[in-house]
C-alpha cells in the first residue's frame, strides 16, 4: 500500500499544477473550437476539408517525417560512438551532443544563417576550393528548415537511443561472437533488434517535438515553410479566427496524444525487454 | 519583500482621511498585482458604500496613473518613449510605459476578451482597429480631443487616428543597377532587365498592389484588389523570390548580404539601408504603397479613455513627429511637420509633396474586409 500511495502524494502537486495550467486552459480551447463564431462543429469540418489547411498539415507531416528519419539515423551513429567508443571518442561525442543542446534555439538558427547563407562561410569555402562557381542556396528553403530542425533534434534522439544501447547485455554480443557471427551480422541481427524499442522511442519523441516547431522554420525557411504551429499563430494573432485556430490545435493535440500513447507503450518495461 | 517591491514605485498622493488612505493602499496593491482590480472595486465599495463610490470615484488608478503604449518593439520602443512618452508625462503627470510586444489584431482581441486589458494605446494597423472596433472592442476616437485638422485628409477613422506613414518601396542594388535604375513596379518584376533575386513581405500587404501594378493595373484602378489576378502573377514569379521577409531587420539583411538585388521593403528600412551602405542600396518612390500607422485604444483600457485620447492628441504635435522622423523615418501624419524636415532629408519622407503623388495609398476598408482570406491564399502559394 505504502509503495503505491507515496508516489501519488508526491505527484499530487505536479498533477494539480498540470490540471490548472494545462488541462483547464485546454478545455477552454476545446470550448472555443466548438463555439466561435457560433456553436457547432463547422470549425472541424473546415479544418479537415479546407485544402489550404490540409496542405499545411501535409507539409508539416512530411517535413517532420524527413527530420525524424535523419535525426534518428544520425542519432544512432552518435549514440554508438558515445556508448561504445574509446574513452576519447566518448568524451568528444559527448561534447558534440551536449554543447549544442545547451544553446538556445534562436542562436542556433542564426548560426545556421551565418554558416549557410549566400555569403556564408560554407559557400565561401566551397567557392575558394573551386567546387562551385555560384553560391548554393542552402537556406531560405525547405533544406534550410530541415538542417536546422535536425540539428535541434539530434540530442533528443540520442538520449533514448544511448539509454537503450547501455542496456544491451554485453554477454549476448559475446555469445553471438562465440558462435562465429560476423561483426556486421552481430550489429544487424543482435544489436539493432535489441535497441529497437529505443529507436521507436527516439523516432516518436523527435516526431512529436518537431510538429510544434515554429522559430526554426520561420528563420530558415525564407518565409515559405508555413507549418502547422505557424498556421495556429496566424489564426490567433494575424488574421484572427480563434475558433478555427482552436480546432486545428485540438486536431494536433489528438494526433500528438495518439503518438505519445504509442511512445509510452513502446517505452514500457515490456516493450524494452 | 514587500518593501523592496514598494521601492521605486510611484509616490502615494497625500491623503486627507483614513478612508482615502485605505483606498490608496488598496490601489497600490492592485498596481503591484497583489489583488485584482475586481477585488479592489469590491473592497473599495465595502469601505465607502457603493453609492458613495459612484459619486466620488475611485482614487485614480487611471488618472494619476499611467498609460501602457504598445508598439512593435525594437528601436520603436525608445523612439516612442522619447518622442511621445516622456513629454506626455512631463506635461500631464501620467506616466507612459512602453511595451513592444506587437499589437496584432488577435493580440488586441485577446486583450479585450481577457476582461482586464493591460494595454491602453496601440500602434495598430488601421484596418485591424476598425475591424475590432465594429465588434465593440475598441474605443471610438474622440475627435473633440484628437484634432482632425492636424491630420491628412481621409486618415482619421472611427477607431483609430493616423500618427505616421510608411511605404512599401522598391529598394535596389545601386552598385549593380546604378547607371540604369528601376523606375516602376514593372521593372521590379523584370528579371531579364534587372537580374537577381527578389524579396517581399511575408504578410502580403503591399505585395498584392505591386503584383497588380506590374501586371498593368493603373494605380487608380487597384481597389478593390483583384486577388486572383495578383496570385496568378505571384505563382509565375515566386521562383525569383529568395525570401519572404517577416520583419524589418530581415529585409535589410537580404539586401546587405546581396541575397536579393531588389526588394519591396518599408521606406523606414530603405533609408537605413542607404545610410548603412553609403548609397549602395537605394530606393524609389514610384509605385510605392503608402500605409498609415495609427493609434487606437482598447475599450475599457485601464488608464481610461480620456487620458488615452489626450495622449493621441499629444502625438499630433509637429515637433514630436519630427523626433519620430529622425529616429525611425516615420512619415509625419501632421502635414505641418513636413516643413520642419530639413531640405536635404525631405526625400526620405514618404508623404512629402512630390513623393506622395508617385505612390498609391493602402485602402483600409478593403483590408478590413478581405485581408484574412487573401492572406491565407497568399501564404499557401508562397509555401508550396
Amino acid at each position: 500500500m505504502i509503495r503505491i500511495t507515496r508516489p501519488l502524494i508526491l505527484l499530487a502537486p505536479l498533477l494539480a499544477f498540470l490540471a490548472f495550467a494545462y488541462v483547464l486552459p485546454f478545455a477552454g480551447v476545446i470550448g472555443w473550437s466548438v463555439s466561435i463564431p457560433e456553436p457547432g462543429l463547422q470549425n472541424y469540418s473546415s479544418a479537415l476539408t479546407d485544402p489550404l489547411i490540409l496542405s499545411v498539415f501535409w507539409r508539416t507531416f512530411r517535413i517532420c517525417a524527413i527530420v525524424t528519419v535523419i535525426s534518428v539515423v544520425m542519432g544512432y551513429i552518435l549514440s554508438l560512438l558515445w556508448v561504445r567508443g574509446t574513452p576519447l571518442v566518448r568524451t568528444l561525442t559527448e561534447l558534440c551532443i551536449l554543447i549544442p543542446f545547451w544553446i538556445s534555439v534562436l542562436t542556433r538558427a542564426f548560426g545556421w544563417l551565418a554558416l549557410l547563407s549566400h555569403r556564408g562561410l560554407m559557400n565561401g569555402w566551397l567557392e575558394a576550393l573551386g567546387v562551385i562557381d555560384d553560391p548554393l542556396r542552402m537556406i531560405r528553403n525547405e533544406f534550410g528548415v530541415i538542417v536546422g530542425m535536425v540539428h535541434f533534434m539530434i540530442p533528443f534522439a540520442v538520449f533514448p537511443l544511448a539509454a537503450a544501447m547501455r542496456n544491451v547485455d554485453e554477454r549476448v554480443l559475446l555469445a553471438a561472437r562465440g558462435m562465429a557471427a560476423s561483426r556486421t551480422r552481430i550489429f544487424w541481427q543482435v544489436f539493432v533488434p535489441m535497441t529497437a524499442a529505443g529507436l521507436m522511442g527516439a523516432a516518436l519523441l523527435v516526431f512529436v517535438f518537431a510538429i510544434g516547431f515554429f522559430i526554426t522554420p520561420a528563420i530558415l525557411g525564407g518565409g515559405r515553410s508555413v507549418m502547422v504551429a505557424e498556421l495556429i499563430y496566424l489564426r490567433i494573432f494575424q488574421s484572427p479566427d480563434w475558433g478555427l485556430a482552436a480546432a486545428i490545435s485540438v486536431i494536433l493535440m489528438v494526433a500528438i496524444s495518439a503518438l505519445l500513447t504509442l511512445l509510452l507503450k513502446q517505452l514500457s518495461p515490456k516493450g524494452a525487454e | 519583500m514587500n518593501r523592496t517591491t514598494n521601492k521605486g514605485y510611484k509616490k502615494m498622493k497625500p491623503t486627507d482621511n483614513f478612508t482615502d488612505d485605505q483606498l490608496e493602499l488598496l490601489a497600490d496593491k492592485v498596481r503591484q498585482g497583489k489583488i485584482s482590480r475586481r477585488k479592489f472595486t469590491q473592497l473599495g465599495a465595502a469601505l465607502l458604500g457603493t453609492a458613495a463610490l459612484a459619486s466620488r470615484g475611485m482614487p485614480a488608478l487611471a488618472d494619476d496613473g499611467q498609460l501602457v503604449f504598445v508598439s512593435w518593439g525594437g528601436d520603436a520602443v525608445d523612439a516612442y518613449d522619447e518622442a511621445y512618452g516622456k513629454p506626455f508625462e512631463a506635461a500631464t503627470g501620467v506616466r507612459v510605459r512602453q511595451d513592444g510586444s506587437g499589437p496584432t489584431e488577435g493580440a488586441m482581441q485577446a486583450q479585450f476578451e481577457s476582461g482586464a486589458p493591460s494595454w491602453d494605446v496601440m500602434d495598430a494597423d488601421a484596418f485591424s482597429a476598425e475591424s475590432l472596433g465594429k465588434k465593440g472592442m475598441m474605443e471610438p476616437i474622440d475627435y473633440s480631443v484628437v484634432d482632425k485638422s492636424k491630420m491628412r485628409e481621409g486618415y482619421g477613422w472611427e477607431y483609430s487616428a493616423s500618427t505616421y506613414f510608411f511605404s512599401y518601396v522598391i529598394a535596389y542594388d545601386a552598385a549593380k543597377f546604378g547607371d540604369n535604375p528601376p523606375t516602376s513596379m514593372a521593372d521590379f518584376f523584370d528579371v531579364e532587365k534587372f537580374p537577381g533575386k527578389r524579396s517581399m513581405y511575408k504578410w502580403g500587404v503591399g505585395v498584392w498592389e505591386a503584383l497588380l501594378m506590374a501586371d498593368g493595373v493603373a494605380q487608380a484602378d487597384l481597389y478593390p484588389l483583384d486577388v486572383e489576378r495578383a496570385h496568378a502573377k505571384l505563382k509565375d514569379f515566386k521562383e525569383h523570390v529568395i525570401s519572404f521577409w517577416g520583419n524589418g531587420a530581415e529585409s535589410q539583411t537580404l539586401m546587405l548580404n546581396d541575397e536579393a538585388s531588389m526588394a519591396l521593403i518599408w521606406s523606414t528600412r530603405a533609408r537605413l539601408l542607404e545610410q548603412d551602405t553609403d548609397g549602395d542600396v537605394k530606393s524609389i518612390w514610384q509605385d510605392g504603397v503608402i500605409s498609415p500607422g495609427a493609434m487606437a485604444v482598447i475599450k475599457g483600457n485601464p488608464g481610461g479613455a480620456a487620458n488615452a485620447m489626450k495622449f493621441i492628441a499629444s502625438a499630433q504635435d509637429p515637433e514630436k513627429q519630427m523626433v519620430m522622423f529622425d529616429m525611425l523615418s516615420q512619415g509625419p501624419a501632421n502635414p505641418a511637420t513636413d516643413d520642419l524636415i530639413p531640405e536635404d532629408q525631405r526625400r526620405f519622407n514618404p508623404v512629402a509633396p512630390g513623393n506622395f503623388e508617385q505612390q498609391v495609398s493602402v485602402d483600409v476598408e478593403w483590408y478590413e474586409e478581405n485581408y484574412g482570406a487573401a492572406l491565407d491564399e497568399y501564404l499557401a502559394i508562397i509555401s508550396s
Side-chain angles (χ1 to χ4, degrees):
Chain A
M1 250 345 243
I2 291 162
R3 263 192 187 158
I4 297 166
T5 51
R6 249 191 206 156
L8 274 183
I9 292 168
L10 293 174
L11 271 175
L14 178 67
L15 289 176
F17 175 78
L18 286 177
F20 182 73
Y22 290 96
V23 179
L24 226 60
F26 197 70
V29 171
I30 295 174
W32 283 1
S33 72
V34 292
S35 66
I36 298 176
E38 55 207 35
L41 292 173
Q42 70 281 0
N43 285 323
Y44 287 94
S45 62
S46 54
L48 293 170
T49 53
D50 185 339
L52 299 184
I53 297 174
L54 287 178
S55 73
V56 173
F57 272 123
W58 169 238
R59 184 179 313 122
T60 308
F61 178 82
R62 184 167 48 80
I63 291 178
C64 291
I66 296 172
V67 166
T68 303
V69 170
I70 301 175
S71 304
V72 170
V73 170
M74 293 176 84
Y76 202 88
I77 297 167
L78 270 174
S79 306
L80 266 180
L81 293 174
W82 193 20
V83 174
R84 306 191 66 86
T86 63
L88 179 68
V89 169
R90 282 185 207 193
T91 314
L92 288 176
T93 317
E94 193 166 308
L95 287 177
C96 290
I97 296 165
L98 289 180
I99 289 176
F101 185 61
W102 290 328
I103 298 172
S104 117
V105 60
L106 258 180
T107 314
R108 286 202 253 168
F110 282 111
W112 283 113
L113 216 54
L115 200 61
L116 299 183
S117 77
H118 191 72
R119 280 199 174 171
L121 291 171
M122 189 67 92
N123 270 321
W125 291 333
L126 290 176
E127 268 175 86
L129 290 172
V131 181
I132 51 171
D133 295 326
D134 291 315
L136 294 176
R137 277 188 65 183
M138 292 178 283
I139 50 160
R140 309 204 193 285
N141 51 26
E142 218 168 276
F143 178 81
V145 174
I146 290 171
V147 169
M149 285 176 74
V150 164
H151 185 229
F152 186 86
M153 287 303 171
I154 282 177
F156 294 94
V158 164
F159 297 137
L161 284 171
M165 287 179 192
R166 287 204 179 92
N167 282 335
V168 170
D169 192 336
E170 197 68 28
R171 289 169 302 181
V172 179
L173 304 179
L174 285 174
R177 180 165 289 182
M179 288 181 230
S182 70
R183 289 176 76 112
T184 328
R185 194 158 174 205
I186 295 175
F187 178 74
W188 287 109
Q189 292 196 346
V190 181
F191 192 76
V192 171
M194 286 176 82
T195 53
L199 268 171
M200 236 359 232
L204 280 166
L205 190 67
V206 169
F207 190 84
V208 167
F209 221 136
I211 286 179
F213 254 58
F214 187 94
I215 305 238
T216 308
I219 294 173
L220 294 170
R224 277 187 198 83
S225 307
V226 177
M227 290 179 48
V228 71
E230 200 174 3
L231 181 71
I232 295 171
Y233 168 86
L234 185 76
R235 289 339 215 117
I236 295 281
F237 290 105
Q238 210 79 19
S239 51
D241 185 346
W242 291 4
L244 188 62
I248 298 171
S249 310
V250 172
I251 293 169
L252 197 60
M253 182 73 186
V254 169
I256 291 178
S257 305
L259 277 171
L260 276 176
T261 315
L262 207 64
L263 172 79
L264 287 176
K265 265 195 180 154
Q266 281 301 326
L267 292 185
S268 66
K270 238 184 179 175
E273 86 189 341
Chain B
M1 271 303 277
N2 290 345
R3 244 170 240 150
T4 26
T5 48
N6 260 327
K7 253 186 203 164
Y9 212 81
K10 191 183 317 36
K11 272 180 282 175
M12 276 192 218
K13 276 185 188 165
T15 46
D16 47 17
N17 64 39
F18 175 75
T19 320
D20 275 351
D21 187 51
Q22 292 293 299
L23 277 175
E24 279 292 348
L25 283 175
L26 277 178
D28 241 25
K29 283 201 174 133
V30 179
R31 291 189 193 109
Q32 292 162 27
K34 281 192 207 136
I35 57 177
S36 73
R37 202 163 282 271
R38 179 174 297 163
K39 190 90 186 161
F40 169 57
T41 320
Q42 286 166 359
L43 291 171
L47 273 170
L48 290 169
T50 319
L53 187 68
S55 62
R56 62 195 281 170
M58 300 296 277
L61 266 180
D63 294 333
D64 81 274
Q66 62 174 25
L67 291 172
V68 174
F69 182 82
V70 188
S71 62
W72 299 87
D75 298 339
V77 170
D78 292 334
Y80 276 111
D81 193 37
E82 203 60 45
Y84 302 135
K86 282 180 187 154
F88 190 71
E89 185 178 3
T92 62
V94 177
R95 195 171 136 219
V96 182
R97 277 187 42 218
Q98 300 290 330
D99 176 335
S101 51
T104 57
E105 189 168 328
M108 292 192 285
Q109 185 174 339
Q111 278 281 323
F112 175 82
E113 302 242 342
S114 74
S118 58
W119 292 357
D120 292 288
V121 186
M122 289 88 53
D123 169 14
D125 277 318
F127 56 82
S128 297
E130 289 309 286
S131 150
L132 293 178
K134 283 176 188 157
K135 295 180 198 156
M137 301 182 186
M138 292 283 136
E139 201 67 55
I141 299 296
D142 181 352
Y143 283 108
S144 68
V145 180
V146 180
D147 190 347
K148 255 197 174 154
S149 73
K150 292 181 181 168
M151 257 181 242
R152 283 167 220 273
E153 193 157 341
Y155 292 101
W157 302 271
E158 199 176 347
Y159 298 100
S160 65
S162 63
T163 43
Y164 66 97
F165 290 89
F166 61 99
S167 183
Y168 295 84
V169 296
I170 300 170
Y172 64 94
D173 184 344
K176 214 167 166 184
F177 308 133
D179 301 332
N180 181 23
T183 56
S184 71
M185 206 47 89
D187 285 349
F188 181 84
F189 288 89
D190 189 341
V191 284
E192 309 250 301
K193 216 165 126 194
F194 298 95
K197 292 288 179 188
R198 303 291 191 265
S199 177
M200 37 209 203
Y201 193 35
K202 179 175 181 174
W203 307 114
V205 186
V207 181
W208 292 300
E209 287 85 345
L211 288 159
L212 290 171
M213 280 189 264
D215 211 29
V217 181
Q219 285 192 7
D221 304 328
L222 278 175
Y223 296 99
L225 297 177
D226 184 345
V227 174
E228 217 172 300
R229 184 171 170 184
H231 285 166
K233 173 105 182 150
L234 178 64
K235 276 179 198 157
D236 290 342
F237 188 75
K238 69 175 181 183
E239 61 177 293
H240 302 292
V241 180
I242 182 150
S243 180
F244 291 86
W245 56 270
N247 62 62
E250 202 183 336
S251 70
Q252 275 176 273
T253 311
L254 290 161
M255 290 303 291
L256 281 173
N257 290 349
D258 274 351
E259 286 180 81
S261 66
M262 262 199 247
L264 275 179
I265 63 174
W266 292 326
S267 53
T268 51
R269 298 286 176 166
R271 183 187 182 182
L272 287 177
L273 268 174
E274 183 172 333
Q275 287 167 350
D276 291 351
T277 60
D278 282 330
D280 274 351
V281 176
K282 287 202 172 82
S283 61
I284 60 169
W285 292 113
Q286 186 61 49
D287 295 345
V289 181
I290 294 184
S291 181
M295 286 190 194
V297 180
I298 294 227
K299 191 152 201 107
N301 67 306
N307 273 344
M309 294 302 156
K310 274 189 225 159
F311 177 76
I312 297 178
S314 83
Q316 297 188 291
D317 178 59
E319 301 279 347
K320 293 180 189 170
Q321 292 190 355
M322 193 54 212
V323 177
M324 293 308 277
F325 177 80
D326 280 337
M327 291 181 79
L328 296 184
S329 300
Q330 288 187 348
N334 187 343
T337 314
D338 290 351
D339 301 331
L340 298 181
I341 299 175
E343 203 78 52
D344 62 326
Q345 286 170 35
R346 286 187 189 171
R347 63 191 185 92
F348 294 115
N349 176 8
V351 285
N355 298 340
F356 189 83
E357 294 77 6
Q358 300 178 46
Q359 307 172 73
V360 60
S361 191
V362 153
D363 184 336
V364 170
E365 217 170 301
W366 186 88
Y367 275 92
E368 189 192 323
E369 302 282 322
N370 304 296
Y371 184 43
L375 182 60
D376 272 354
E377 275 183 42
Y378 178 82
L379 289 174
I381 293 170
I382 67 174
S383 299
S384 61

